[in-house]
Amino acid sequence: MSKLNRLRQKLEENQLDAIVIASPANRRYISGFTGTSGAAVVSQNDARFITDFRYIDQAKEQIAHFTVVKHTQSMNEEINDQLKQMNVGRVGFEKDHASYSEYEQYKKIFTAELVPVSGLVEDLRRIKSDDELTILKQAAKIADDAFVHIQDYIKPGVKEIDISNELEFFMRQQGATSSSFDIIVASGYRAALPHGVASDKTIQNGELVTMDYGALLNGYCSDTTRTVAVGEISSELKQIYNTVLEAQKRGVKGLKPGITGKEADAIARDYINEQGYGDYFGHSTGHGVGMDVHESPSLSSRSDMKLEPGMVVTVEPGIYIPNTGGCRIEDDIVITETGHERLTNAEKELVQL
């Protein structure tokens, strides 16, 4: 079933005549448009894409099954005119992506009844198509290759930011648009910072270096983390690494359709708790990844959502001990009919440089 038909089912379920989609990821998902300005308006029997003169030719080339409309008045005034032409009575808008100011504009300009909706398109995005999985596998391969590449650059005296820049440069050379997010490179005591974005700190002998990064490719993200040792590390750091590695392996092995995010989270978390490090693992075990680097579903203690074939999630347990250091290991995984498949396949056993 096409994306538009699946969306139209959602409209019917929510008793909506149409929906306005303006958030960048959802807009690109439903239309294929890669530009930075536009809105998709979808009803049960019509689909229109509104943009300005800068993107008209691009929209006509990229978008199928939509009528492309150029607006010369304001975007919202044009959307309202199109809704009138489409005889729309109840129109949904993306409340999670609209500011209060935008909502006020909608109320002022739209004559159709406004209905706030949440997660309508995101629900569709959770299950990846074969075409989407092909891109995600390519993005994961770029991240895997980057890990092999960067090992030649990690040595005492090199700054974290230099490692980050080299990772980004390499991934772009391999075809990525950019990194999926601000690259995390955290060494030594900074490895205790789960989101320690690369700094000017220099890497030293005897430290663990955690690198969390991914490639943005054709609108889709990979997200992987690897931790390496520089020189000889202490027995305490080895124990931390081995505990995270075992937890991560267990977390991946346990993924299958039908289990909840809560159950998936517990697999890795329970092992870390058993080893006495529970107080040092404070984030969720994983999250969905696709057009956004963080999307549904969540592998967390609060998620009752069941995993389904086609969902792509991360498994990324970590241990972070202040003033000592830390470790995280992360893979991208697709849920299959019979279990799971790893998308990222770089070495996970401790690499000592």
Side-chain angles (χ1 to χ4, degrees):
M1 184 182 297
S2 72
K3 293 175 181 176
L4 279 176
N5 286 337
R6 291 167 62 211
L7 177 58
R8 283 167 174 148
Q9 281 190 344
K10 292 283 187 181
L11 295 181
E12 185 174 356
E13 291 168 7
N14 289 271
Q15 299 180 315
L16 296 171
D17 297 321
I19 184 172
V20 176
I21 303 168
S23 60
N26 287 343
R27 180 180 66 209
R28 179 169 181 169
Y29 176 81
I30 205 65
S31 71
F33 178 70
T34 63
T36 59
S37 179
V41 182
V42 179
S43 70
Q44 285 294 349
N45 53 18
D46 204 344
R48 305 186 184 188
F49 191 89
I50 302 163
T51 189
D52 63 56
F53 76 98
R54 297 170 299 169
Y55 294 106
I56 285 295
D57 289 342
Q58 177 181 343
K60 288 179 178 178
E61 289 177 3
Q62 291 183 326
I63 301 174
H65 311 299
F66 281 75
T67 300
V68 176
V69 177
K70 180 174 73 173
H71 72 85
T72 53
Q73 54 189 332
S74 76
M75 172 67 81
N76 286 334
E77 288 172 331
E78 186 62 54
I79 291 173
N80 187 54
D81 283 353
Q82 297 301 317
L83 291 171
K84 287 179 180 178
Q85 293 176 27
M86 296 161 73
N87 295 313
V88 170
R90 283 169 52 87
V91 60
F93 71 95
E94 301 174 290
K95 70 175 186 179
D96 297 327
H97 304 287
S99 68
Y100 187 73
S101 175
E102 288 168 328
Y103 172 60
E104 287 186 315
Q105 285 294 309
Y106 291 164
K107 285 200 303 180
K108 179 180 178 181
I109 296 172
F110 290 6
T111 56
E113 179 186 351
L114 285 169
V115 181
V117 296
S118 178
L120 212 115
V121 179
E122 287 87 344
D123 287 350
L124 304 181
R125 287 169 49 192
R126 273 200 297 268
I127 307 299
K128 272 58 177 181
S129 67
D130 289 343
D131 288 343
E132 289 177 295
L133 288 174
T134 295
I135 300 172
L136 285 164
K137 289 176 181 179
Q138 293 170 344
K141 176 65 163 53
I142 291 174
D144 282 345
D145 291 345
F147 178 62
V148 175
H149 171 79
I150 203 63
Q151 292 177 41
D152 289 336
Y153 291 81
I154 301 172
K155 59 191 66 176
V158 175
K159 292 180 180 180
E160 292 172 351
I161 191 65
D162 293 332
I163 299 301
S164 171
N165 290 340
E166 184 61 32
L167 281 169
E168 170 120 15
F169 181 65
F170 177 84
M171 290 190 293
R172 286 175 181 260
Q173 283 185 313
Q174 305 310 304
T177 303
S178 65
S179 57
S180 302
F181 50 92
D182 288 340
I183 293 173
I184 293 168
V185 179
S187 61
Y189 67 90
R190 291 192 75 254
L193 303 174
H195 278 188
V197 173
S199 73
D200 283 333
K201 178 189 174 300
T202 57
I203 294 168
Q204 307 296 325
N205 261 317
E207 293 183 335
L208 288 175
V209 181
T210 296
M211 296 168 288
D212 187 344
Y213 62 97
L216 176 62
L217 179 70
N218 297 335
Y220 289 82
C221 304
S222 57
D223 182 9
T224 188
T225 307
R226 289 295 185 267
T227 301
V228 299
V230 179
E232 286 294 329
I233 58 173
S234 68
S235 58
E236 181 182 13
L237 291 177
K238 286 181 182 178
Q239 184 177 0
I240 290 171
Y241 186 94
N242 290 331
T243 300
V244 173
L245 177 61
E246 180 62 22
Q248 204 269 349
K249 286 181 176 179
R250 291 186 181 203
V252 171
K253 185 177 181 180
L255 289 182
K256 59 183 178 181
I259 68 170
T260 64
K262 183 184 300 183
E263 291 168 333
D265 175 81
I267 298 170
R269 190 172 305 280
D270 287 352
Y271 180 77
I272 289 177
N273 286 337
E274 291 166 7
Q275 301 305 307
Y277 292 104
D279 290 342
Y280 303 104
F281 176 28
H283 57 72
S284 62
T285 293
H287 55 83
V289 63
M291 298 187 83
D292 289 319
V293 74
H294 290 92
E295 56 183 50
S296 183
S298 171
L299 306 189
S300 78
S301 60
R302 299 175 300 278
S303 176
D304 292 317
M305 182 177 292
K306 290 185 177 180
L307 301 185
E308 299 177 47
M311 290 180 172
V312 176
V313 297
T314 67
V315 176
E316 50 177 306
I319 294 172
Y320 315 94
I321 302 180
N323 302 315
T324 297
C327 168
R328 181 166 64 253
I329 301 170
E330 175 185 20
D331 282 316
D332 297 343
I333 312 290
V334 58
I335 307 301
T336 66
E337 295 287 347
T338 57
H340 66 270
E341 177 188 349
R342 281 177 61 189
L343 302 185
T344 47
N345 291 284
E347 179 62 61
K348 289 191 286 192
E349 298 299 325
L350 182 61
V351 173
Q352 184 173 318
L353 302 173

